[in-house]
Amino acid sequence: MGRGKVELKRIENKINRQVTFAKRRNGLLKKAYELSVLCDAEIALLIFSNRGKLYEFCSSPSGMTKTVEKYRKHSYATMDPNQSAKDMQEKYQDYLMLKSRVEILQHSQRHLLGEEIAGMGVNELEQLEHQVDSSLKQIRSRKARAMLDQLSDLKTKEEMLLETNRDLRRKLEESDAAVTQSMWGASSAAEHPHQQQQQYHQQQQGMSSYQANPPSQEAGFFRPLQGNVALQMSHYNPGVTNASNSATTSQNVISGFFPGWML
């Protein structure tokens, strides 16, 4: 199975890039050596890594310097003298123009810094003042926008921190409530059997005391009537009845017994 096609672009991984560079560099040097041996060609190869390290190969016995000098002579010999002079003149004109622009910019910068303004006239000073004012307005506007952006970021961070604080406070309150509820549940579970046992003992003591000392009949609200009470349904004599009731009542008062309806 053949190898897949490799996409030619920069390798982002630093380690993979270094490994690939080492492998391909050695392969290129090997190919240059094989070409010089097989074809008796004069080959000079220069390789600079991304760190600036030099790797070179030269098949000529005279060395790399002679080969490079030979290359320069060959290149300059093939160049047209008229074309070379014209290019040099254009480059010189570009140099002069760029030099004048640099001098003007340096002179303007010194004026903005308040230097070399002694020889300036009123109009030039007014123009410089307007330029400085315009620059100050732009700087202040940019400063205000930067401060507003920073204030907005700080407000956003404050809201996030407040929300986080509220969440933490709510969680803390829920945790405290759960802990308190569990503590109350444990204490009530421990006290409930003891309370039931006390109630049972109190009931037992009450029953035993009731059996040992039953209440007397005189302590109640209702007391039974002593004597024979005859109800005469057929012959009703109010006088006899009232007399007998009065006698019975008098007898009960004398004996110290009061009927319930007199209390």
Side-chain angles (χ1 to χ4, degrees), residues 183-199:
M183 292 177 63
W184 279 104
S187 61
S188 62
E191 294 176 357
H192 188 67
H194 182 67
Q195 292 178 356
Q196 289 183 349
Q197 188 175 5
Q198 289 182 351
Q199 292 178 358

Side-chain angles (χ1 to χ4, degrees):
M1 177 180 290
R3 298 175 62 184
K5 186 177 179 180
V6 179
E7 185 180 1
L8 292 179
K9 67 176 183 179
R10 183 177 182 273
I11 301 174
E12 299 297 333
N13 193 308
K14 184 178 180 181
I15 297 176
N16 295 340
R17 186 168 61 246
Q18 291 177 355
V19 172
T20 303
F21 173 76
K23 290 182 179 179
R24 303 239 173 171
R25 179 199 64 203
N26 295 333
L28 184 59
L29 294 173
K30 182 179 179 182
K31 291 294 182 182
Y33 172 74
E34 292 177 353
L35 182 61
S36 64
V37 173
L38 295 175
C39 301
D40 195 17
E42 185 177 357
I43 299 175
L45 178 62
L46 297 173
I47 302 175
F48 289 94
S49 67
N50 57 352
R51 297 182 180 179
K53 189 175 181 180
L54 173 64
Y55 301 91
E56 62 180 9
F57 169 77
C58 183
S59 62
S60 175
S62 59
M64 181 66 72
T65 305
K66 295 293 182 181
T67 304
V68 172
E69 185 178 356
K70 185 177 179 179
Y71 166 74
R72 287 180 178 176
K73 289 180 179 180
H74 183 272
S75 299
Y76 292 144
T78 57
M79 185 179 297
D80 187 5
N82 296 327
Q83 185 69 25
S84 177
K86 185 178 180 180
D87 292 341
M88 290 297 294
Q89 186 67 23
E90 291 178 355
K91 290 179 180 178
Y92 183 70
Q93 293 295 331
D94 294 338
Y95 165 72
L96 293 177
M97 184 177 63
L98 292 174
K99 183 180 179 181
S100 63
R101 290 184 62 183
V102 169
E103 289 178 355
I104 292 172
L105 291 174
Q106 290 178 351
H107 192 64
S108 177
Q109 183 179 7
R110 286 193 293 270
H111 287 171
L112 292 174
L113 294 175
E115 300 175 357
E116 299 179 3
I117 58 175
M120 297 179 64
V122 177
N123 295 330
E124 293 178 351
L125 290 174
E126 287 181 354
Q127 292 179 358
L128 181 62
E129 183 180 4
H130 291 315
Q131 188 176 0
V132 171
D133 290 338
S134 177
S135 300
L136 285 175
K137 289 180 181 178
Q138 293 180 0
I139 293 172
R140 288 168 181 169
S141 177
R142 176 57 187 163
K143 179 182 177 182
R145 287 197 301 269
M147 292 178 67
L148 289 175
D149 294 340
Q150 186 176 5
L151 182 61
S152 178
D153 295 339
L154 291 175
K155 287 184 178 179
T156 304
K157 291 181 180 179
E158 182 183 6
E159 291 177 358
M160 294 174 61
L161 291 175
L162 289 175
E163 184 66 23
T164 305
N165 190 11
R166 285 193 293 268
D167 294 339
L168 292 175
R169 186 182 296 277
R170 184 174 63 255
K171 291 181 180 179
L172 182 60
E173 291 176 356
E174 292 177 355
S175 178
D176 292 341
V179 171
T180 304
Q181 186 177 3
S182 62
M183 292 177 63
W184 279 104
S187 61
S188 62
E191 294 176 357
H192 188 67
H194 182 67
Q195 292 178 356
Q196 289 183 349
Q197 188 175 5
Q198 289 182 351
Q199 292 178 358
Y200 177 75
H201 286 302
Q202 291 177 0
Q203 292 178 357
Q204 292 294 329
Q205 290 178 0
M207 291 295 293
S208 59
S209 62
Y210 180 80
Q211 293 177 359
N213 299 315
S216 60
Q217 293 180 355
E218 295 180 356
F221 289 101
F222 299 97
R223 296 175 176 83
L225 296 176
Q226 295 180 357
N228 295 324
V229 179
L231 298 178
Q232 302 293 330
M233 300 298 295
S234 58
H235 299 282
Y236 173 72
N237 190 353
V240 176
T241 303
N242 293 331
S244 61
N245 290 335
S246 299
T248 304
T249 302
S250 301
Q251 184 180 359
N252 290 332
V253 170
I254 293 172
S255 62
F257 179 80
F258 292 92
W261 57 271
M262 293 182 66
L263 294 177

